[in-house]
Amino acid sequence: MNIEFAPSAQSTLGVEWELALVDGRSGELVSAASEVLRNVAARHPELKDDDEHPHIKQELLLNTVELVTGICTSVEQAKGELDDALTAVRDVTDPMGVELFCAGSHPFAAPRSQPVTDKERYAKLIDRTQWWGQQMVIYGVHVHVGLDHRDKALPVLDGLVNYFPHFQALSASSPFWGGEDTGYASQRALMFQQLPTAGLPFQFPAWANYEDYVQDMFNTGVIDTLSEIRWDVRPVAALGTIEMRICDGMSSLQDVGAIAALTQCLVDEFSTVLDDGWAIPTMPPWHVQENKWRAARYGMEAIVILDGAGKEKLVTEHLREDVLNRLEPVAKKLGCSNELADVEKIIERGAGYQRQRRIAAENDGDLRAVVLDVVRQMRGEA
């Protein structure tokens, strides 16, 4: 199989932000996405029948809408496009009494009671995956970064996988599931990997090996389209990007921008390493797998494995003492210094899972208070 990698300008950017629709009083999920999308489209007469808004999309569940940017040259531009889309959604949801919520999971919703969008591909997914597929009441932030050459895709994937625990710790915001505290910072991370072809990517030495893998997936009926490979980090050949899909949903545009900047800077750094003729270090798959579990379990308190020799460090210390300092010149070049500095702010105030547990404790375990606190964060009021 020959998989063409689309031309893409190096380090251009695209961001996807999945949002849940909730009742403004009870915090319960509201399956109103079809109505919201229809009303959003109605405000844009240039859209033809059945055309989606270019920046507001349908998702698996009827309680979810996804905001997406176009191809952006900076994190600032991406944040601006997301903010505009957020405003367009609120113009419709506010009169409905519907609020926007974003975290890795909804704290108390009954997952199997959430209606699925009426699309053939979604029906097929649920039919195949059954109980696990019915649990996917989860929300994330995805970041695409453009690559100027196909042969960079897999080495850059390997490089981003080394930083899996950093992204997971910063974004972890799904400690509750079905009304219970799971004990994990990110239940979403372990839930999503139960789907076929989801979870950590395989690490291939060359693009041809990846093409062989994809051919095998088609031949054996595992996938019908390339997009059904749902790895935590994956090449997206049709766009000419590498896509970082590790992060739990985040409740502020500032935090989404911080994650986008960290992704863009790392990918640009890896690209420069390759241009200079060097190799990107990799870690054994068992270290990568352990790092994912540690970050999902312990979040900001995870002690992570840094290299093949087994060197370890607290994830927040590694971010502060090494990663952010090292990436400052890259951020300056890309024009995202302010957004990269916002990573430090996440570390200082804590991740979403920590705030959720605090809010729950302050309200005698009432998880409705947790949802409504996230709603206020989405509005910039908390």
Side-chain angles (χ1 to χ4, degrees), residues 140-179:
V141 173
H142 303 166
V143 181
H144 290 260
V145 182
L147 296 173
D148 59 7
H149 197 284
R150 182 200 70 180
D151 290 344
K152 290 183 176 180
L154 296 178
V156 168
L157 180 152
D158 291 343
L160 281 178
V161 164
N162 292 339
Y163 290 87
F164 189 109
H166 305 69
F167 285 110
Q168 188 66 81
L170 290 166
S171 67
S173 58
S174 49
F176 299 106
W177 188 260

Side-chain angles (χ1 to χ4, degrees), residues 1-5 150 153-154 157 201-218 223 225-231 233-238 241-242:
M1 171 173 280
N2 180 40
I3 301 175
E4 295 292 336
F5 195 81
R150 182 200 70 180
L154 296 178
L157 180 152
F202 295 106
Q203 294 168 278
F204 297 109
W207 188 256
N209 303 107
Y210 170 68
E211 290 175 325
D212 290 343
Y213 161 80
V214 173
Q215 183 68 67
D216 286 345
M217 294 298 98
F218 277 109
I223 62 173
T225 67
L226 190 53
S227 64
E228 291 175 355
I229 296 174
R230 301 180 177 93
W231 293 338
V233 183
R234 66 181 181 181
V236 182
T241 66
I242 194 78

Side-chain angles (χ1 to χ4, degrees), residues 5-14 70-74 144-150 152 236-242 264 267-268 271 275 334:
F5 195 81
S8 185
Q10 178 62 48
S11 300
T12 48
L13 194 70
I71 300 171
C72 300
T73 56
S74 68
H144 290 260
V145 182
L147 296 173
D148 59 7
H149 197 284
R150 182 200 70 180
K152 290 183 176 180
V236 182
L239 300 178
T241 66
I242 194 78
Q264 186 188 34
V267 172
D268 191 83
S271 178
D275 286 341
L334 296 173

Side-chain angles (χ1 to χ4, degrees), residues 129 132-133 135-136 138 164 168 177 184 186-202 230-233 245-246 248 288-294 296-297:
T129 58
W132 284 115
Q135 301 300 305
M136 294 296 131
I138 54 178
F164 189 109
Q168 188 66 81
W177 188 260
Y184 283 75
S186 175
Q187 163 76 354
R188 171 189 168 274
L190 303 184
M191 180 61 68
F192 188 62
Q193 71 182 12
Q194 303 306 319
L195 294 184
T197 72
L200 290 168
F202 295 106
R230 301 180 177 93
W231 293 338
D232 297 322
V233 183
R245 299 158 49 86
I246 297 163
D248 278 15
V288 171
Q289 187 174 38
E290 174 65 13
N291 272 345
K292 177 174 182 175
W293 185 86
R294 290 186 189 186
R297 170 66 179 87

